[in-house]
Amino acid sequence: MPLGIYKYIIGLWAIPGKYSTMNEIILKKGREKPARQFHPWLFSGAIDKISGSPEPGEIVRVIGCDEDFVALGYYNPFSQIQIRLLEWNDNISIDKAWWEHRLATAIESRSRFKNDEDTNAYRLVFGEADFLPGLIVDKYADFIVMQSLTRGIEAVKDIIAGSLNRLLKPTGIYERSDASIRSMERLKAAKGRLVGEEPPDLLDINENGLKFRIDIKNGQKTGFYLDQRDNRMIASRYVLGGRMLDCFSYCGGFAVYALRGGADSVMLVDSSQESLALAKTNLILNGLDTEQVEYRIGDAFRTLRDLREAGSQFDLVVLDPPKFASSKSHLQKALAGYKDINLTAMQILRPGGILVTFSCSGAVTLDSLKMAVFWASVDAHRQVQILQTMHHAEDHPRLLSFPEGEYLKGMICRVE
Ligand code: SAH
């Protein structure tokens, strides 16, 4: 292990009020404002000088060109985001107790879920928005899934797992650090049991009184799209007695809610066979009428066109595609993709039907999604009313000083 990380873990440097051993990053003139306003990222372009030789993942002290303290953060020279800021108080040191306190605060802020018997799966830590950049922690019934996305978190992974174990006493903690963005930090994928028991291959959770059987070891994200919890509920209110299309269904979240909400029939579309198999299990688990369910495995762009050519009509269509734009440079192509699926969706909606449309691309704002749907409506010759706009659920907070964290946006539209 590099010496810096070792020093960091045993906390030798973490003597309150003394930073003599800590490396310092001096910012360029005029580049410290966002950091002072609690934006947690510093890019290489903002850095003027580095004093000392911090190891990747090590805590550094960030100071302005006037030598005034700005914040403490962790450093990674391999990443475009070279420093992620953690602490703006100069008198506090980042040691084991600091990490545990931050985790406890994030957990405490979800206390309303503790009393909700109908929901036992939710996000406990949402990275930057919970003042713990690079860390995701999800609770799935009695298991915890942890995801480390950066070098800084990687360096304290054991400390975090230990704290989570003390604070939550789960049956087990499982690591799902296999997100592709880790490569931007020059980190390899890591996966497996960290503490306690190994989770079963499929685990049952409850969400709003519905049951879902999910795969936390190999499923998408950390096993389930917790961020859509509220939006599934909202969408299900619009489907009374109608025919619903759950496009990009994964394991059937929107379809399960819609059938419970009174949909007559649903069709699920996803390119992943395993996801559709799990969706079927989930519909059965909830005692829903599977006679009224149809599955289409394949590319949604193609399937939507096939449905249009076949003259299919739906009362409600959900479009919850994967990320189309991984960065701003892919924005135009992504917007063309959103326009395409929204156009075909409008063409298979009966007059007055409901379109539930999402984008989970961070680079796509709600305004740009609106624009893509607007151009789709022009081509479809349909007038569209927005009934509601949506975001990720409250266990995925949106930090005012960090708009980049708002990745999920959606609209409920009536298509005349
Ligand atoms: N609506 C889901 C989450 C959807 S995630 C929920 O509420 O849980 C996006 C889904 O799109 C994934 O299941 C993925 O397998 C699927 N997918 C990705 N590309 C696709 C494509 N081209 N056609 C159809 N499905 C696709």
Side-chain angles (χ1 to χ4, degrees):
M1 195 183 318
L3 179 65
I5 293 176
Y6 183 69
K7 270 198 314 196
Y8 171 47
I9 287 173
I10 58 170
L12 269 181
W13 50 268
I15 305 160
K18 288 199 180 159
Y19 293 103
S20 52
T21 56
M22 201 182 297
N23 297 296
E24 287 188 334
I25 308 282
I26 300 110
L27 298 182
K28 284 184 187 155
K29 194 169 159 54
R31 299 299 290 268
E32 60 190 68
K33 198 168 164 198
R36 288 211 189 274
Q37 294 174 341
F38 305 120
H39 193 287
W41 290 351
L42 280 169
F43 291 89
S44 52
I47 296 174
D48 184 21
K49 279 190 293 248
I50 298 177
S51 117
S53 48
E55 296 285 335
E58 195 175 344
I59 300 287
V60 290
R61 197 161 182 265
V62 177
I63 57 173
C65 60
D66 51 6
E67 301 202 349
D68 276 0
F69 173 80
V70 177
L72 299 174
Y74 62 70
Y75 172 70
N76 182 1
F78 305 133
S79 172
Q80 273 193 3
I81 304 167
Q82 292 217 336
I83 303 161
R84 294 189 198 228
L85 300 176
L86 299 166
E87 178 59 67
W88 279 260
N89 185 336
D90 199 5
N91 298 315
I92 292 179
S93 50
I94 297 179
D95 53 12
K96 232 169 140 175
W98 183 94
W99 289 102
E100 186 149 322
H101 180 68
R102 275 279 156 100
L103 290 166
T105 307
I107 292 166
E108 179 60 28
S109 73
R110 271 75 171 176
S111 56
R112 91 148 188 80
F113 284 97
K114 261 190 172 164
N115 306 320
D116 179 354
E117 286 177 9
D118 290 338
T119 301
N120 67 2
Y122 46 92
R123 180 149 292 188
L124 290 169
V125 178
F126 181 41
E128 277 74 350
D130 274 304
F131 316 106
L132 286 163
L135 176 67
I136 301 293
V137 181
D138 289 336
K139 174 180 162 66
Y140 290 112
D142 297 328
F143 284 90
I144 297 298
V145 180
M146 182 178 146
Q147 189 168 62
S148 139
L149 299 171
T150 56
R151 292 254 170 188
I153 293 299
E154 204 63 19
V156 288
K157 203 155 80 179
D158 294 345
I159 290 179
I160 288 171
S163 288
L164 289 173
N165 195 37
R166 265 191 304 282
L167 294 165
L168 299 161
K169 301 183 180 55
T171 304
I173 303 180
Y174 193 77
E175 178 175 21
R176 276 297 303 271
S177 302
D178 53 345
S180 56
I181 50 165
R182 268 172 66 102
S183 62
M184 295 172 83
E185 296 266 319
R186 289 216 210 145
L187 285 168
K188 293 205 180 83
K191 216 171 121 175
R193 185 189 69 88
L194 289 177
V195 176
E197 287 178 28
E198 172 101 11
D201 289 345
L202 293 175
L203 179 72
D204 287 356
I205 57 155
N206 304 322
E207 187 183 89
N208 286 322
L210 291 162
K211 297 189 184 86
F212 288 95
R213 189 157 289 169
I214 61 160
D215 179 353
I216 61 178
K217 290 188 196 164
N218 296 302
Q220 297 179 28
K221 285 196 139 187
T222 59
F224 197 56
Y225 288 83
L226 297 166
D227 50 0
Q228 289 285 29
R229 182 189 314 105
D230 296 350
N231 302 332
R232 292 184 193 111
M233 189 68 123
I234 294 170
S236 72
R237 295 193 192 116
Y238 290 89
V239 72
L240 279 177
R243 187 176 186 216
M244 184 256 196
L245 175 66
D246 184 358
C247 203
F248 306 96
S249 66
Y250 189 44
C251 60
F254 282 93
V256 169
Y257 275 71
L259 272 180
R260 181 181 69 168
D264 277 343
S265 66
V266 301
M267 181 188 283
L268 294 88
V269 177
D270 203 283
S271 54
S272 147
Q273 172 121 35
E274 300 86 56
S275 298
L276 287 179
L278 215 45
K280 187 169 185 182
T281 307
N282 286 328
L283 288 157
I284 295 169
L285 259 184
N286 289 284
L288 298 164
D289 185 357
T290 48
E291 300 260 296
Q292 308 306 324
V293 184
E294 230 185 291
Y295 304 89
R296 296 276 179 99
I297 298 170
D299 173 43
F301 286 82
R302 178 75 256 154
T303 309
L304 284 166
R305 282 183 169 67
D306 291 347
L307 289 168
R308 181 184 62 194
E309 302 327 320
S312 299
Q313 288 269 285
F314 292 87
D315 298 284
L316 186 142
V317 174
V318 175
L319 297 176
D320 185 18
K323 199 174 358 179
F324 286 166
S326 50
S327 68
K328 285 208 174 114
S329 58
H330 299 117
L331 189 58
Q332 285 316 316
K333 199 159 169 251
L335 290 177
Y338 289 116
K339 181 190 164 192
D340 188 317
I341 51 172
N342 280 281
L343 169 59
T344 359
M346 286 179 201
Q347 290 167 330
I348 57 171
L349 268 173
R350 67 157 175 79
I354 299 290
L355 173 65
V356 182
T357 185
F358 295 99
S359 161
C360 63
S361 308
V364 174
T365 60
L366 179 59
D367 279 344
S368 19
L369 177 65
K370 271 188 199 166
M371 211 33 104
V373 177
F374 168 69
W375 288 116
S377 77
V378 170
D379 283 9
H381 300 291
R382 303 286 291 268
Q383 282 194 300
V384 173
Q385 297 168 303
I386 300 173
L387 307 182
Q388 286 198 45
T389 51
M390 295 167 285
H391 302 280
H392 24 86
E394 74 193 86
D395 51 337
H396 298 58
R398 289 175 278 147
L399 186 63
L400 212 44
S401 58
F402 180 60
E404 293 87 337
E406 291 190 38
Y407 66 99
L408 180 65
K409 62 284 304 178
M411 302 186 285
I412 305 246
C413 301
R414 181 183 287 117
V415 181
E416 294 303 342

